[in-house]
Amino acid sequence: MGTLVCTIEMDKAAGLTVTVKNADANITQTLTMDGTKIEIKVAGEGATSIITQEAAKVTITCKQLEVKAEETIHLSSGKASTYESGDALAVKSAKDMTLKSDANVSVSGQKVAAEGQSEVNLTGASQNTLALASAGATLSAGAKLKLGPAQASMSGAQVEVKADGMMSLESSGVATLKGSLTNVQGSLVNLG
């Protein structure tokens, strides 16, 4: 590394400016304190990063921002907060992850997918409902699909239940099959 050029300027109106110039690397580092804010700037050939600290706000402007902690990171705010990415966003945890709100939680996107390697649970509050709504919906299970245990209801303008193999309809109590026209057919029909 070549020789650095270092300057300190003090002015009663402009404040204090410390500058370090590295001509070989084409990098200039500047620290400015003007009485209202502190600004640290590192300017190079391809990028410039700036940290500005005011009494009520700290702003970091840069091409890449990395925060690394050997143990924990805690971020907290007293008012509404926003995290926004102009490109893809990934949140990853090597262990358990919890997303929680004391109010409503909303997830929206062009396509929303949730996948569990061993188990997926969707639970509604005991006094309220769990609603799944779509213009077209498919509920499928590779091995067994179970509805219940207290009460299951299915309704629609047209309801079709079809089995490629055997179908069993059974009730331990009263069973009612009712329609304005009821049709029971098959190559062998056994009633009773």
Side-chain angles (χ1 to χ4, degrees), residues 123-137:
T123 306
S126 60
Q127 300 301 316
N128 294 306
T129 60
L130 172 64
L132 302 173
S134 175

Side-chain angles (χ1 to χ4, degrees), residues 8-189:
I8 299 175
E9 299 174 34
M10 291 186 284
D11 186 280
K12 289 183 178 180
L16 173 69
T17 302
V18 178
T19 306
V20 177
K21 291 186 179 179
N22 181 346
D24 291 347
N26 198 17
I27 295 174
T28 302
Q29 299 169 317
T30 310
L31 168 65
T32 306
M33 292 183 276
D34 65 4
T36 59
K37 67 180 183 297
I38 299 171
E39 182 181 272
I40 301 172
K41 181 191 287 187
V42 179
E45 282 187 53
T48 299
S49 63
I50 303 170
I51 301 173
T52 305
Q53 182 178 356
E54 301 174 66
K57 182 170 77 169
V58 176
T59 305
I60 300 173
T61 306
C62 60
K63 197 171 187 178
Q64 289 182 300
L65 176 64
E66 291 184 17
V67 178
K68 292 184 179 180
E70 291 182 7
E71 292 192 6
T72 61
I73 296 175
H74 178 81
L75 299 175
S76 143
S77 68
K79 298 213 172 181
S81 302
T82 301
Y83 187 89
E84 184 176 334
S85 172
D87 206 325
L89 172 64
V91 179
K92 183 179 178 183
S93 173
K95 294 192 177 179
D96 293 349
M97 180 184 293
T98 302
L99 299 175
K100 183 180 178 182
S101 173
D102 292 336
N104 297 332
V105 175
S106 175
V107 178
S108 65
Q110 292 294 319
K111 182 178 179 181
V112 177
E115 179 182 344
Q117 296 298 321
S118 60
E119 188 175 339
V120 175
N121 290 312
L122 296 175
T123 306
S126 60
Q127 300 301 316
N128 294 306
T129 60
L130 172 64
L132 302 173
S134 175
T138 301
L139 182 61
S140 64
K144 185 176 182 181
L145 177 63
K146 183 176 180 181
L147 300 175
Q151 182 177 353
S153 175
M154 182 169 46
S155 65
Q158 182 176 341
V159 176
E160 180 179 337
V161 179
K162 181 179 178 183
D164 290 333
M166 187 179 89
M167 178 184 292
S168 175
L169 301 174
E170 183 179 333
S171 171
S172 60
V174 176
T176 303
L177 179 62
K178 180 180 177 183
S180 57
L181 173 62
T182 304
N183 186 1
V184 178
Q185 47 179 295
S187 57
L188 175 62
V189 177

